[in-house]
Amino acid sequence: MGTPDFAVAALEEIIKNKIEVIGVVTQPDRAKGRGKKVQYTPVKQVALDHNIPVFQPESAKDKDFIQELRLLNPDCIVVAAYGNILSKDLLDIPRYGCVNIHASLLPQYRGAAPIHWAVINGDEKTGITIMQMDEGLDTGDMLLKDEVQIGNKTTGQLHDILAEMGGRLIVEALEKIQSKTTQPIKQNNEAASYAGMIHKKMGKIEWNKTADEIERLIRGLNPWPIAYTIYDHTIMKIWEAEVLDEISNAPYGTIVSISKSGLNVVAGDKILQINKLQFPNKKAVTVDEYLRGNQIKQNIRLGLEG
């Protein structure tokens, strides 16, 4: 059971390791893009490529769908970013239960957007937890874990690393489940944190925050929804930036210098250098590329509306 690109690596790894997949459950096809063309989910496309039956219920609680699953009689259900809460009726179907690939080091960041929040909050590391599912939100016993240093990676870069890690770990977990050698570890609920959904409005930069906080927000919202500010009454999306060990007495949000390297902007403590930006209906480009045919005014203050 999975829907977006994150779940593809796990499905492909399971298939590659000759673990029998008797069905794939994914979200219904949706109209996307400017042309509103109906597109298959990434997981559905992989399933069709391998001639695996696909199920796309509007709700995972649908009684007819749950009956179909019972008739399939799966040994285990692997869940990866499926996008729907599973009922007890469904969780109880497979004899080895349902196993989830979660993109955090549980009990940290239960919920919808664990990768984004790990970056935004400045964590040193994140990872994958393979978890035996129960009725709670990412509260089940942990079966396997692995971790990765965050460093200066974006959410998008971590997404790809963790998707591959999830594929590798789920194959290992399924082998342990089959051989009955798993060693489940209960989560410490007191140490739990929640990773709520990401919304576009969260991308608005507050220049009175520290340069580090702003830089992490930029990385955490890359590749979606992208952090932004207002430049001369126009939305400027910021894709990449770095913190400079420089300070200025100018008001925060002020562009104090402009060069091929980037725009130097005053944050709450230090200078933040914007390296890659995007204006409406234009492609994201480096500051150097943008300046070849466009102008940016120095001493203008970012973030001012009206």
Side-chain angles (χ1 to χ4, degrees):
M1 299 182 75
T3 298
D5 288 323
F6 180 80
V8 165
L11 178 56
E12 288 180 334
E13 200 66 20
I14 288 168
I15 293 167
K16 191 171 87 177
N17 281 270
K18 296 184 167 46
I19 298 167
E20 187 184 2
V21 183
I22 57 172
V24 160
V25 183
T26 189
Q27 288 290 310
D29 302 327
R30 309 285 187 202
K32 286 187 176 179
R34 289 183 182 176
K36 294 294 178 189
K37 188 178 177 183
V38 174
Q39 294 180 17
Y40 292 166
T41 71
V43 166
K44 177 178 179 177
Q45 189 59 63
V46 174
L48 293 177
D49 290 345
H50 291 274
N51 299 312
I52 299 168
V54 176
F55 302 86
Q56 295 181 278
E58 282 292 340
S59 167
K61 294 176 181 175
D62 181 86
K63 289 180 181 177
D64 291 337
F65 163 66
I66 287 175
Q67 185 55 31
E68 275 189 293
L69 270 193
R70 285 199 184 99
L71 293 172
L72 273 181
N73 192 27
D75 293 317
C76 184
I77 294 177
V78 172
V79 182
Y82 171 57
N84 219 300
I85 300 294
L86 306 188
S87 65
K88 187 174 188 306
D89 283 347
L90 195 154
L91 293 171
D92 288 345
I93 289 172
R95 62 176 171 144
Y96 292 119
C98 298
V99 184
N100 181 241
I101 305 169
H102 187 75
S104 82
L105 299 172
L106 288 171
Q108 277 189 304
Y109 301 123
R110 295 171 177 172
I115 307 175
H116 296 80
W117 285 110
V119 177
I120 292 168
N121 290 339
D123 293 3
E124 286 185 14
K125 60 187 179 180
T126 184
I128 289 286
T129 305
I130 306 294
M131 173 197 75
Q132 192 81 46
M133 294 177 73
D134 59 19
E135 288 180 84
L137 180 66
D138 303 323
T139 53
D141 291 354
M142 301 176 292
L143 304 180
L144 283 176
K145 267 186 183 180
D146 199 2
E147 60 188 45
V148 61
Q149 295 295 311
I150 292 176
N152 63 355
K153 297 179 187 71
T154 65
T155 288
Q157 290 165 336
L158 283 169
H159 169 281
D160 294 349
I161 291 166
L162 294 175
E164 284 191 27
M165 184 184 286
R168 175 173 53 78
L169 286 185
I170 194 61
V171 168
E172 186 182 337
L174 290 171
E175 288 167 353
K176 285 178 178 286
I177 288 167
Q178 191 170 25
S179 61
K180 297 181 179 173
T181 57
T182 56
Q183 295 179 306
I185 297 169
K186 292 209 172 298
Q187 292 189 43
N188 176 6
N189 290 327
E190 291 179 10
S193 58
Y194 177 66
M197 289 183 76
I198 297 293
H199 301 285
K200 286 184 179 180
K201 288 181 181 176
M202 290 172 50
K204 186 179 179 183
I205 293 170
E206 296 174 30
W207 289 102
N208 59 335
K209 291 193 170 179
T210 68
D212 280 315
E213 286 175 304
I214 297 169
E215 190 273 337
R216 294 199 309 260
L217 181 74
I218 291 165
R219 278 190 293 115
L221 300 185
N222 180 345
W224 189 90
I226 302 297
Y228 69 93
T229 189
I230 304 297
Y231 167 81
D232 197 18
H233 312 295
T234 305
I235 288 176
M236 174 199 284
K237 291 184 175 181
I238 302 175
W239 286 74
E240 291 175 15
E242 62 183 293
V243 178
L244 303 183
D245 197 17
E246 299 174 19
I247 59 172
S248 169
N249 292 325
Y252 25 74
T254 304
I255 300 173
V256 289
S257 65
I258 302 167
S259 70
K260 289 182 179 180
S261 300
L263 311 179
N264 289 357
V265 183
V266 181
D269 55 351
K270 297 178 182 177
I271 297 290
L272 186 79
Q273 182 175 265
I274 298 171
N275 300 329
K276 189 174 182 181
L277 48 73
Q278 182 180 19
F279 284 101
N281 303 314
K282 304 287 184 184
K283 289 198 298 189
V285 292
T286 64
V287 168
D288 182 24
E289 288 169 326
Y290 185 79
L291 291 173
R292 288 175 199 170
N294 304 277
Q295 198 176 13
I296 288 181
K297 303 170 194 169
Q298 194 168 318
N299 298 321
I300 200 165
R301 202 169 169 196
L302 298 178
L304 299 182
E305 298 187 43

